[in-house]
Amino acid sequence: MAGGAAMPEWGTVPPGGDAVEHLAAAWQQLRAPVVVPLLRLSVAVCLAMSVMLFAEKVYMAAVLLAVRLLGRRPERRYRWEPMRDDGDDLESAGGSAAYPMVLVQIPMYNEREVYHLSIGAACGLSWPSDRIIVQVLDDSTDPVVKELVQAECQRWASKGVNIKYEVRDSRRGYKAGALREGMKRAYVRGCDLVAIFDADFQPDPDFLCRAVPFLLHNPELALVQARWKFVNSDECLMTRMQEMSLDYHFTVEQEVGSSTYAFFGFNGTAGVWRISALNEAGGWKDRTTVEDMDLAVRASLKGWKFVFLGDLMVKNELPSTLMAYRYQQHRWSCGPANLFRKMLMEIVRNKKVTLWKKIHVIYNFFIVRKIIAHIVTFVFYCIVIPATVLVPEVEIPKWGSVYIPIIITLLNAIGTPRSVHLVIFWILFENVMSLHRTKATFIGLLEAGRVNEWVVTEKLGDALKMKMAGKAYKKLRMKIGDRLHVLELGVGAYLFFCGCYDLAFGNNHYFLFLFLQSIAFFVVGLGYIGTFVP
């Protein structure tokens, strides 16, 4: 501009220290009228969500304690009688007539390392051979894997097992589509019950003998759900953390749901359904990535009840690579939020269940456990609390920042007593994973881009793990670029900056938590967690 030097406009970068002064001035102008009120509102909302989550955790702990003290085991709440005496012959014509016809479904997709585990375990179930059908639903796209699975089925068929190998033209509907197609086969019409096992699940031979009597003697029951037992929980620190979270889900959440409202979300595997209840609920639907939970909610709205058997365990494998775990958590977080969006009004308008059961499903099951639990963990502990370090005008009461989180953590730790010494690592890891769970929850609620993304959880199996024990690990140490995760690194940098600021200018000692949490984000962001495979 003629006539002398022009002053820099907003949006340009002034020379030297003027840029810093310009930013500082802008921050001071926005701080009081905009930042402080917004942050105070965020704190208030997060504190309210924390109280809701705290109340839910305390409620479940109290119910669980009452159930244990009163000895309210499933065998006492429902009629249960053994299927046979020890001297009975399972194969005798007279003996097998009293046994319901059971279909065992095993959906799989390119399960090279573990396909034989579930097929072998299902074919080894103690049940009259004329009263059971094993149905392998193979959606594999790898022709080599398809040949292996088919050969395994033929091998068991040659031993006299009634096993069916089923394939489809496309993977439409993914797992739900495969299960739905499997139920359409003519030989299924004579079946009374269906047991479902994912490709890495290995039920013990007595699984049906322990589960089926509940359905046989209690016509109001639609589902018997077994607990998962993890064969690789000690493989690495990440699998130990998963074990702690899932043990709480089974030991507390499902036990409480089963004991009070006879409702909980079906886990998609290691369960036995009454086929008439499954059909009455509308069968399998693929409108979300949690087809199992979808079916459970619809069956519950029809008045059916569920029972959880905590002492009936089925062996399976935890995802041991970070990428597999992230995909699984995206599906498990996005799906419930999307299902809530789709079914809220259907639940409200339902006339077959009591008002209290509707409140339990909407508030306890969906809002608190599937939405608030994810959002408050990330937004409050990884965004809002660190932000208050930079804006000291906004204070968080100690009961919200210290006492409630500690009590919630201790209540979560009761699920896995053997890992209580790892509780600090578990907190830090769960906070990191809450980043992806929160993102997935909003994707589900808003029905955004990746809402129906389905990636099968990778299983390694024992054979691949032994093969990868040496050479491959060393090769992969050089490929750090393949392990970088930008979101985690960005949040880690934010937490580290807030920690440094608090150490220099603050007085609330949040830096102790902020530095530890930032390290956890950096570790995951650099991919140094879980098992590395090519």
Side-chain angles (χ1 to χ4, degrees), residues 137-327:
L137 304 166
D138 189 12
D139 272 358
S140 299
T141 53
D142 186 332
V144 175
V145 176
K146 288 187 105 164
E147 289 181 10
L148 290 171
V149 175
Q150 188 172 14
E152 182 72 4
C153 293
Q154 291 172 348
R155 186 173 75 85
W156 282 103
S158 66
K159 296 182 178 183
V161 175
N162 188 1
I163 185 169
K164 309 290 185 181
Y165 176 73
E166 304 287 355
V167 295
R168 300 188 291 162
D169 294 332
S170 71
R171 289 189 66 216
R172 186 170 180 265
Y174 303 107
K175 179 181 176 181
L179 294 169
R180 184 173 56 235
E181 286 298 313
M183 295 299 294
K184 294 179 180 178
R185 298 296 184 261
Y187 56 81
V188 175
R189 293 173 191 160
C191 295
D192 306 295
L193 308 173
V194 56
I196 302 168
F197 300 103
D198 284 349
D200 59 314
F201 277 71
Q202 307 163 59
D204 290 334
D206 66 346
F207 176 86
L208 292 177
C209 292
R210 296 177 63 185
V212 168
F214 284 97
L215 297 167
L216 195 61
H217 300 299
N218 303 276
E220 74 277 18
L221 287 178
L223 166 67
V224 174
Q225 173 70 63
R227 182 174 171 173
W228 298 0
K229 180 180 180 181
F230 311 110
V231 297
N232 65 330
S233 58
D234 291 327
E235 184 175 339
C236 60
L237 184 60
M238 192 181 80
T239 53
R240 288 292 291 272
M241 302 299 100
Q242 292 178 64
E243 181 191 39
M244 293 178 70
S245 299
L246 287 170
D247 276 351
Y248 179 83
H249 167 69
F250 287 109
T251 305
V252 181
E253 291 181 347
Q254 295 214 296
E255 184 65 64
V256 169
S258 176
S259 303
T260 53
Y261 296 93
F263 167 78
F264 48 82
F266 174 45
N267 297 315
T269 179
V272 185
W273 276 91
R274 190 186 303 275
I275 292 180
S276 60
L278 191 153
N279 291 334
E280 185 185 346
W284 295 102
K285 293 185 179 181
D286 55 12
R287 56 182 175 173
T288 70
T289 57
V290 284
E291 73 293 324
D292 42 15
M293 186 182 296
D294 188 348
L295 175 61
V297 174
R298 285 184 280 115
S300 178
L301 294 180
K302 294 291 183 181
W304 290 98
K305 296 180 179 180
F306 312 150
V307 62
F308 170 70
L309 304 183
D311 58 353
L312 179 57
M313 301 189 183
V314 180
K315 292 182 289 186
N316 72 294
E317 180 181 325
L318 291 163
S320 58
T321 65
L322 177 61
M323 192 59 67
Y325 186 56
R326 282 178 57 175
Y327 278 128

Side-chain angles (χ1 to χ4, degrees), residues 392-526:
E393 298 96 319
V394 180
E395 295 184 358
I396 301 176
K398 187 168 287 188
W399 60 263
S401 61
V402 179
Y403 301 141
I404 281 183
I406 288 176
I407 295 174
I408 289 177
T409 300
L410 293 176
L411 291 176
N412 273 281
I414 64 176
T416 314
R418 80 182 187 99
S419 298
V420 69
H421 61 290
L422 298 175
V423 70
I424 300 297
F425 294 100
W426 177 79
I427 294 170
L428 299 175
F429 179 69
E430 283 292 290
N431 287 349
V432 174
M433 293 309 302
S434 69
L435 163 63
H436 297 284
R437 294 179 185 134
T438 300
K439 183 175 69 171
T441 298
F442 280 115
I443 288 173
L445 288 174
L446 302 175
E447 212 157 32
R450 293 175 58 198
V451 66
N452 289 318
E453 180 183 63
W454 180 282
V455 179
V456 175
T457 304
E458 178 188 35
K459 296 101 178 175
L460 300 184
D462 293 333
L464 182 60
K465 289 171 193 170
M466 288 187 289
K467 190 190 305 180
M468 295 300 301
K471 186 169 70 173
Y473 286 109
K474 295 177 182 177
K475 287 183 179 178
L476 284 167
R477 285 177 187 166
M478 302 300 293
K479 298 182 179 180
I480 190 169
D482 296 336
R483 301 196 306 239
L484 290 178
H485 304 288
V486 177
L487 278 177
E488 284 90 343
L489 292 175
V491 176
Y494 165 71
L495 292 169
F496 185 76
F497 170 76
C498 292
C500 292
Y501 190 93
D502 187 52
L503 182 63
F505 306 108
N507 57 7
N508 51 24
H509 302 294
Y510 282 161
F511 66 88
L512 297 172
F513 161 73
L514 294 173
F515 284 145
L516 286 175
Q517 191 63 71
S518 66
I519 292 171
F521 270 97
F522 285 136
V523 169
V524 176
L526 294 173

